[in-house]
Amino acid sequence: MEILDNIIRDAILKNAGDIHIEPFEKIIRIRFRIDGCMHTVNKFEISLLEQLISRLKIISGMDISEKRLPQDGSFKFNEQISFRVSTLPTINGEKAVIRLIYVDNNDLNKNNLGFFEEDLPYIEKLFQNPYGAIIITGPTGSGKTTTLNSFIKDLNTNEVNIVTVEDPVENIIYGVNQTNINPKINFDFPMALRAILRQDPDIIMLGEIRDSITANIAMRSAITGHLVLTTLHTNDAISSIMRLRDMGIENFMISSAVKGVISQRLVRRLCPHCKKEIKISEADAKIFSLPINTIVYESSGCEFCNNIGYKGRLALYEYFLVDEKIRSLIENKSSYDEIKYYLSEKNFLTLKDNAIKNVLLGNTSLREIYKKIILEV
């Protein structure tokens, strides 16, 4: 169907992450998720819905006769892009979401993530540990897996065996053994992790620690000669230690296993071609502890950014490496505040500090920071 082909080509051209085909009473709305935000790109008559969804189901390997239940499928557009498809019955017909998975993903470059030059050497050194656990924290959609995969690309050599278990695999990396969990057959993270340990791995990437069983296996793997890269859902870096404690992991094991923690959020980058300078408002200056006449930047819109005002995304982050003092604090069951006090003495920069720095450099806008940081930190 030509309409579907045109939608897909347009999404690729705009570097969209997802395509949403949404039925309403009289129209079909087509929206793309670009740099984390939804944009309406087209509308069609509702009479085209059945033909459009049927074509999508055929190429995705789904049952075109089943319209009452959700379905999942996939297809390839070419060797560089594959698609994961999900359908959902609604009161107006079936909605479809198509996830675009780019094989040659430019986002998987640690130099494009947003890490500052002064921090990158320390973070790179963290990933050079021969064993231990490296944890990336943040909410859903904060780019945790992308960050891990960008460093996996650097670690991916003939000399090491890298195995990942994800839900699902989103970034395909040649030379890395990647597997999806499958809850339908009880192939979950604990089962997958136990199986991986019998595959002679050097580096294990565990998509997420969700429960105490997975946490226990992961930490034990980290202290028995494996480099374990994983993610947690916490609001900041220090909270990851508390979360592991809550999962029943002994303090001595946390202190022995964890080598470092990175917490991050994704914000949109201001378009370099059309961003404009403004003076910070009095209210914003007070919130960010900045002089009233400080120059910041806001979005505008041009041809380069499809009149959105933003182009691409970057990570706002905070991180700490586990040194002897932090190891001792963890072993002695020190509180969140005690660990934070020690880090502040070492000039630990928080997510908010990192956000302000990016705003002053013109990398992003105050509006993006309010959406991702201020209400959380």
Side-chain angles (χ1 to χ4, degrees), residues 60-189:
S60 303
M62 291 188 271
D63 182 356
I64 63 170
S65 65
E66 179 55 76
K67 300 177 182 180
R68 299 167 300 169
L69 294 172
Q71 294 190 65
D72 296 309
S74 62
F75 66 95
K76 278 196 171 186
F77 187 78
N78 55 39
E79 290 302 316
Q80 297 303 314
I81 305 173
S82 58
F83 300 84
R84 192 171 66 247
V85 183
S86 171
T87 62
L88 178 72
T90 75
I91 59 172
N92 295 304
E94 290 181 280
K95 173 186 175 176
V97 177
I98 308 169
R99 169 63 57 88
L100 285 74
I101 302 171
Y102 300 89
V103 174
D104 187 17
N105 193 340
N106 291 327
D107 290 338
L108 298 185
N109 183 330
K110 65 178 185 293
N111 297 309
N112 295 337
L113 296 174
F115 292 119
F116 290 118
E117 287 185 8
E118 59 267 32
D119 294 327
L120 195 53
Y122 295 100
I123 295 171
E124 287 176 324
K125 187 176 180 181
L126 174 62
F127 281 87
Q128 293 303 318
N129 275 292
Y131 60 89
I134 300 170
I135 300 171
I136 309 240
T137 79
T140 300
S142 59
K144 301 183 295 295
T145 302
T146 298
T147 296
L148 283 180
N149 282 328
S150 69
F151 285 96
I152 284 175
K153 281 188 74 174
D154 279 2
L155 298 171
N156 183 23
T157 66
N158 274 332
E159 287 74 38
V160 294
N161 176 24
I162 304 176
V163 187
T164 78
V165 53
E166 304 170 62
D167 180 27
V169 173
E170 293 193 3
N171 298 300
I172 301 167
I173 306 173
Y174 178 79
V176 174
N177 304 284
Q178 298 172 275
T179 185
N180 289 312
I181 67 165
N182 188 347
K184 292 178 181 177
I185 57 172
N186 296 320
F187 184 57
D188 54 12
F189 278 115

Side-chain angles (χ1 to χ4, degrees), residues 262-326:
I262 302 168
S263 181
Q264 68 177 57
R265 305 288 187 279
L266 283 183
V267 294
R268 293 181 293 172
R269 290 181 188 267
L270 281 166
C271 174
H273 297 274
C274 63
K275 65 182 180 183
K276 56 184 180 183
E277 293 184 357
I278 59 169
K279 285 186 178 180
I280 195 169
S281 70
E282 189 172 338
D284 289 337
K286 185 176 181 180
I287 289 170
F288 286 96
S289 303
L290 292 170
I292 292 176
N293 291 324
T294 298
I295 296 296
V296 294
Y297 299 81
E298 68 177 8
S299 60
S300 181
C302 66
E303 288 185 4
F304 181 77
C305 61
N306 293 312
N307 292 311
I308 294 172
Y310 297 89
K311 188 73 173 178
R313 289 190 286 180
L314 63 90
L316 306 177
Y317 63 94
E318 64 182 27
Y319 75 98
F320 68 86
L321 310 183
V322 177
D323 59 17
E324 287 301 323
K325 177 61 176 178
I326 294 176

Side-chain angles (χ1 to χ4, degrees), residues 116 317 347-358 373:
F116 290 118
Y317 63 94
N347 298 317
F348 171 70
L349 296 180
T350 65
L351 279 165
K352 185 176 177 180
D353 296 328
N354 184 274
I356 293 170
K357 187 173 181 178
N358 274 291
I373 299 294

Side-chain angles (χ1 to χ4, degrees), residues 235 265 287 352 369-377:
N235 286 332
R265 305 288 187 279
I287 289 170
K352 185 176 177 180
I369 301 310
Y370 274 117
K371 285 161 53 179
K372 300 292 183 177
I373 299 294
I374 294 299
L375 297 178
E376 298 179 2
V377 179

